[in-house]
Amino acid sequence: MTRVLVVEDDPQLVRALVINLQARKYGVDAAPDGTTALRLAAARQPDVVILDLGLPDMDGVDVIKALRGWTRVPILVLSARRGSDEKVAALDAGADDYITKPFSMDELLARLRAAVRRTEDTPLVPETVLVDTVDFSIDLLAKKVVRGGRDVRLTPTEWHLLEILVTNPGRLITQKRLLQEVWGGTRSNKTNYLRVYMAQLRRKLETDPSHPRYLITEPGMGYRFEG
């Protein structure tokens, strides 16, 4: 049974979530505040955490940071905060997805299933990494990309960007994280760098670069790789 930890201080919303999750055979624990959430996470070892950011005792971003100190459990943020800054802060802290209130229960459940599937996938290991898509393949150990039977020549920067994205399949990687990891702190606000290099990668890898299938933009937030 997949266990879900719901961290939310609205009793009516907690009740709705518990009813819907239990009806679909999930095991559910609920915490009304951050302190209880961290205690339950350690004791119950949930498979997924659904987290509100506006908690009575601490900010949800601090809960994410505390969890990320010891676990990679998927964290789905469920919050009324709609600004891109709040979303980016939560994602940079280690959240896997962000859903704004009000929300569709069907959408939440779909994203929950996707998060569970990603954790069940075999993790990438450096000795045997080969990412295959319909249009190209990537050998992360040999640092090699093949498309249509031919090697694709990538610059070191293009490769670094691609490597970060494909080793986190389906997960949104924020602009800030990509800029810091590839260019360092001095370029952390140069989003135009990302646009240029992502456009170059799409021209080299996508069948239709203007309608990408693999290298997906989340406007104002970041990018994700869909294999």
Side-chain angles (χ1 to χ4, degrees), residues 97-133:
D97 208 342
Y98 196 108
I99 305 162
T100 53
K101 300 176 182 177
F103 62 95
S104 154
M105 188 64 71
D106 286 342
E107 179 187 2
L108 173 64
L109 292 167
R111 296 201 190 195
L112 181 67
R113 291 192 297 271
V116 172
R117 280 198 304 274
R118 287 199 292 274
T119 60
E120 290 172 346
D121 289 342
T122 304
L124 295 170
V125 291
E127 292 78 13
T128 57
V129 170
L130 184 64
V131 179
D132 272 317
T133 73

Side-chain angles (χ1 to χ4, degrees), residues 106-164:
D106 286 342
E107 179 187 2
L108 173 64
L109 292 167
R111 296 201 190 195
L112 181 67
R113 291 192 297 271
V116 172
R117 280 198 304 274
R118 287 199 292 274
T119 60
E120 290 172 346
D121 289 342
T122 304
L124 295 170
V125 291
E127 292 78 13
T128 57
V129 170
L130 184 64
V131 179
D132 272 317
T133 73
V134 173
D135 297 303
F136 55 86
S137 63
I138 305 168
D139 186 330
L140 288 165
L141 185 61
K143 295 186 181 296
K144 182 178 178 181
V145 181
V146 176
R147 181 183 178 199
R150 296 183 177 183
D151 288 354
V152 178
R153 296 178 66 87
L154 298 182
T155 68
T157 300
E158 290 168 351
W159 174 261
H160 197 172
L161 276 173
L162 183 63
E163 186 177 42
I164 294 168

Side-chain angles (χ1 to χ4, degrees), residues 159-177:
W159 174 261
H160 197 172
L161 276 173
L162 183 63
E163 186 177 42
I164 294 168
L165 291 167
V166 301
T167 53
N168 293 275
R171 184 172 181 185
L172 174 62
I173 308 298
T174 61
Q175 294 175 345
K176 180 180 177 182
R177 177 180 165 188

